Amino acid sequence: MTPPHLQIALDGPAGSGKTTVARRLAERLALLYLDTGAMYRALAVLSLRERVDADNEPALLRLLEARPIEIRLEPGAPMGFVVLAGGEVLSESELQANAASVVVSTIAAHPRIRERMVAKQREIARLGPVIMAGRDIGTVVLPDAQLKIFLTASISARVARRKAQFAASGTAIDAHALFSELEERDRLDESRSNSPLQISPDAHVIDSSELGVDEVVSKIAALARAVA
Ligand code: DC
């Protein structure tokens, strides 16, 4: 069923440039914007604080009950939206910290955790024309989205981008460690039995290895004009 307003699903592996591209498109096309990875990261942050094992789904579910994760869409906020856990705002640096990156894929593989996150993501998509970035947006969260993009890039391009992001925030990080982390996350995200990262058959695949952000944004904006 065609959604009542434009939905753009933007999926792809870590470091493919989804969040930068999605935010620019949201500005350009006046869309709501959510990076769904931040919701899984929020639970990762809580699990680290409360020392809950990333493999322990029942304990993670209890944590989620006790400290519900909510999203406030605020285009002016540092990430473009605000993530709250039990009413407390979580900072971008805490969400993006390496400690959270290391456990988040394990946490995101739990089916009942995903059910809860997906329900919230669909609620947000009902609010208005939207671009949502993640891993399963075109396949599971918004299967009727009018436009689905799978953004990919070579692992070396993705490592270089992540390194530059860390450098911009004043954190030095070893490229070899980043390479292994991204490889491991790709492996976990692609191999999990529940909603793995996969290309929806109706998605447009864009390889951003050799493209600048503006080029990717223009390509997707043109595709969006064609479906609007
Ligand atoms: O995009 P990111 O690196 O912030 O995502 C963090 C993790 O969350 C990633 O390892 C996969 C998972 N994720 C997911 O399973 N489904 C989504 N829709 C978004 C992220």
Side-chain angles (χ1 to χ4, degrees):
M1 207 175 68
T2 309
H5 43 244
L6 179 65
Q7 295 180 342
I8 303 181
L10 182 58
D11 292 301
S16 57
K18 296 184 302 289
T19 50
T20 313
V21 163
R23 272 193 86 172
R24 295 261 187 103
L25 277 162
E27 269 171 35
R28 195 152 146 183
L29 306 177
L31 304 172
L32 303 173
Y33 156 68
L34 175 63
D35 165 24
T36 57
M39 295 173 67
Y40 295 97
R41 284 174 177 273
L43 187 55
V45 167
L46 294 182
S47 76
L48 292 167
R49 283 193 195 166
E50 305 290 328
R51 297 180 196 286
V52 170
D53 198 298
D55 287 318
N56 188 342
E57 187 178 26
L60 291 167
L61 284 165
R62 285 195 293 277
L63 198 52
L64 203 50
E65 292 271 283
R67 318 243 359 233
I69 292 166
E70 300 293 340
I71 298 293
R72 250 186 1 228
L73 301 178
E74 276 181 25
M79 289 187 291
F81 54 88
V82 176
V83 184
L84 300 110
E88 177 205 353
V89 173
L90 300 183
S91 71
E92 183 174 13
S93 55
E94 201 169 10
L95 292 169
Q96 293 300 329
N98 218 37
S101 299
V102 169
V103 294
V104 69
S105 290
T106 305
I107 288 176
H110 297 303
R112 284 185 296 157
I113 300 283
R114 298 198 71 81
E115 253 172 43
R116 282 160 180 74
M117 299 296 190
V118 168
K120 284 216 156 83
Q121 291 155 12
R122 288 185 180 145
E123 263 171 42
I124 292 167
R126 279 197 280 275
L127 298 175
V130 68
I131 181 161
M132 212 171 259
R135 302 291 190 289
D136 59 341
I137 310 301
T139 49
V140 175
V141 181
L142 305 176
D144 298 322
Q146 293 91 334
L147 180 58
K148 299 181 185 179
I149 306 290
F150 192 92
L151 189 60
T152 183
S154 66
I155 188 148
S156 52
R158 294 190 283 129
V159 167
R161 282 184 200 146
R162 271 282 203 254
K163 198 161 180 239
Q165 274 169 359
F166 278 108
S169 63
T171 319
I173 186 127
D174 176 55
H176 292 292
L178 266 182
F179 193 97
S180 317
E181 188 231 308
L182 280 185
E183 251 189 349
E184 177 62 3
R185 277 216 284 150
D186 284 356
R187 193 185 63 74
L188 290 169
D189 295 343
E190 286 163 10
S191 65
R192 67 179 176 225
S193 52
N194 193 281
S195 311
L197 173 68
Q198 58 186 12
I199 304 176
S200 183
D202 50 353
H204 299 262
V205 179
I206 300 179
D207 186 331
S208 70
S209 310
E210 308 285 329
L211 299 176
V213 174
D214 289 338
E215 285 171 287
V216 177
V217 168
S218 296
K219 267 180 193 276
I220 301 176
L223 291 167
R225 274 194 296 278
V227 295

